[in-house]
Amino acid sequence: MSNLEKLDLNLSLSMKKAFVDGNDLKKNIINHMLRLDKFTFNIRSVLHLHNEINLPSNEDIQNTFRNFKNNHIISCLDYFQEQQSSQCLIYSYPYKSKFYKYITNNFSGGLFKCVREISLFDVHPFEHEFFLRISQSFPFMQKLALRNYKPQNNKLCKESKNDNQDLSIIKYPHLTNLTLSRSHDDYVKQFLLDTKTCLPNNVHLNVTYQTLERVTHNFTRDATRINCQKLKSLSIDPIRIFKHVKNYFPHTEIF
């Protein structure tokens, strides 16, 4: 190991006392590999909170990489007080992995051409502008999973496109798999309302039947009809598929 010249680390760790940062990497890896010339990494560390007072900031984490001269290092730190947990993402940029998990509102942006699958999670609402950043940062994204039970604050969901002239319609040209089964109704609206999103053809959607029924106004809503008709398949686990449901998804396999 001490003779390695290149090292690429992809880790997800549960920590007891502190996040993995630049000081850890220098102490436990770099100082033991004198021939190491190229070091790239993508590390997520999770820390449970126990009434700590002196918690580090994202700036504190970033400062631990000030002597990493060969790389552009990104850090993203989140505290979830309701769940008494926190996470810290640190990674080399440009980002090389095909996966980017647990993206929150603190996502700093950038361009991630290699990423094909992402997951979004937060205890604070995702607004329309956040999804616009996501679509721009991950232009070749194929799979998206979202978990957020907080309603959006900006209810930009008018039925007519003329009513939303200041609202950019978001496109996900390569999206094939969308999972919204653990999210508030607002995020199903975010992806199905044609005043907010233009889905590509052949998307598989995973969502609960009850949520979809509410968002589509019992499968009669015109503003969600266009995106729903583009779906290749739909996982809603219904007891029975009624005719009016099937008519709303004329080209979709429902199961």
Side-chain angles (χ1 to χ4, degrees), residues 54-90:
N54 297 318
L55 294 169
S57 66
N58 193 62
E59 184 179 1
D60 294 331
I61 299 294
Q62 196 68 50
N63 284 337
T64 66
F65 294 100
R66 58 184 177 271
N67 294 324
F68 280 58
K69 298 180 180 180
N70 295 329
N71 288 306
H72 181 194
I73 310 301
I74 305 295
S75 62
C76 184
L77 180 60
D78 289 282
Y79 291 107
F80 309 117
Q81 299 295 342
E82 293 180 8
Q83 300 179 333
Q84 293 187 312
S85 67
S86 55
Q87 70 170 8
C88 180
L89 300 175
I90 56 174

Side-chain angles (χ1 to χ4, degrees), residues 18 170 199 230:
I170 302 174
L199 287 179
K230 294 179 179 180

Side-chain angles (χ1 to χ4, degrees), residues 3-67:
N3 293 324
L4 279 179
E5 297 181 1
K6 295 182 180 180
L7 178 62
D8 181 37
L9 282 182
N10 286 274
L11 300 172
S12 182
L13 305 168
S14 179
M15 310 300 292
K16 292 184 178 180
K17 295 183 179 180
F19 299 113
V20 176
D21 60 14
N23 293 332
D24 285 304
L25 297 181
K26 283 182 284 187
K27 177 182 177 181
N28 297 312
I29 296 178
I30 295 175
N31 291 345
H32 298 278
M33 297 183 175
L34 301 181
R35 299 184 62 181
L36 190 61
D37 180 59
K38 185 176 182 181
F39 180 33
T40 57
F41 53 86
N42 177 19
I43 301 173
R44 174 180 181 251
S45 50
V46 177
L47 182 67
H48 292 286
L49 303 177
H50 302 285
N51 300 316
E52 288 86 352
I53 298 176
N54 297 318
L55 294 169
S57 66
N58 193 62
E59 184 179 1
D60 294 331
I61 299 294
Q62 196 68 50
N63 284 337
T64 66
F65 294 100
R66 58 184 177 271
N67 294 324

Side-chain angles (χ1 to χ4, degrees), residues 26-227:
K26 283 182 284 187
K27 177 182 177 181
N28 297 312
I29 296 178
I30 295 175
N31 291 345
H32 298 278
M33 297 183 175
L34 301 181
R35 299 184 62 181
L36 190 61
D37 180 59
K38 185 176 182 181
F39 180 33
T40 57
F41 53 86
N42 177 19
I43 301 173
R44 174 180 181 251
S45 50
V46 177
L47 182 67
H48 292 286
L49 303 177
H50 302 285
N51 300 316
E52 288 86 352
I53 298 176
N54 297 318
L55 294 169
S57 66
N58 193 62
E59 184 179 1
D60 294 331
I61 299 294
Q62 196 68 50
N63 284 337
T64 66
F65 294 100
R66 58 184 177 271
N67 294 324
F68 280 58
K69 298 180 180 180
N70 295 329
N71 288 306
H72 181 194
I73 310 301
I74 305 295
S75 62
C76 184
L77 180 60
D78 289 282
Y79 291 107
F80 309 117
Q81 299 295 342
E82 293 180 8
Q83 300 179 333
Q84 293 187 312
S85 67
S86 55
Q87 70 170 8
C88 180
L89 300 175
I90 56 174
Y91 55 84
S92 312
Y93 188 86
Y95 191 88
K96 299 298 183 182
S97 175
K98 293 183 179 180
F99 309 93
Y100 195 136
K101 301 295 184 71
Y102 306 103
I103 300 173
T104 69
N105 279 292
N106 285 333
F107 175 65
S108 58
L111 185 60
F112 301 81
K113 291 184 177 181
C114 294
V115 174
R116 298 295 182 268
E117 181 175 345
I118 71 170
S119 67
L120 312 177
F121 166 77
D122 210 329
V123 295
H124 303 288
F126 291 135
E127 303 298 342
H128 185 81
E129 294 75 14
F130 171 79
F131 291 101
L132 184 60
R133 277 194 293 140
I134 292 298
S135 67
Q136 293 169 344
S137 292
F138 303 97
F140 301 107
M141 171 184 60
Q142 297 172 344
K143 295 183 179 181
L144 186 155
L146 186 153
R147 181 158 65 98
N148 192 326
Y149 293 106
K150 297 293 184 179
Q152 291 180 317
N153 292 319
N154 300 323
K155 304 291 186 178
L156 298 172
C157 58
K158 297 179 181 179
E159 300 295 303
S160 171
K161 293 180 182 179
N162 294 328
D163 294 331
N164 277 323
Q165 294 180 357
D166 296 330
L167 186 64
S168 299
I169 297 177
I170 302 174
K171 296 182 179 181
Y172 305 90
H174 299 280
L175 187 66
T176 59
N177 193 296
L178 178 62
T179 298
L180 304 174
S181 53
R182 301 175 69 185
S183 61
H184 190 275
D185 287 9
D186 284 352
Y187 304 108
V188 180
K189 295 176 186 177
Q190 175 69 43
F191 282 92
L192 293 186
L193 282 171
D194 60 15
T195 54
K196 291 187 173 187
T197 298
C198 178
L199 287 179
N201 293 317
N202 300 321
V203 173
H204 169 74
L205 173 62
N206 189 337
V207 66
T208 67
Y209 179 88
Q210 292 78 10
T211 298
L212 194 59
E213 185 178 38
R214 289 191 298 268
V215 169
T216 62
H217 298 171
N218 195 24
F219 308 101
T220 62
R221 191 176 191 176
D222 287 336
T224 54
R225 190 182 301 273
I226 292 177
N227 280 324

Side-chain angles (χ1 to χ4, degrees), residues 223-238:
T224 54
R225 190 182 301 273
I226 292 177
N227 280 324
C228 285
Q229 289 182 346
K230 294 179 179 180
L231 297 177
K232 178 181 180 181
S233 55
L234 177 62
S235 177
I236 51 177
D237 195 25

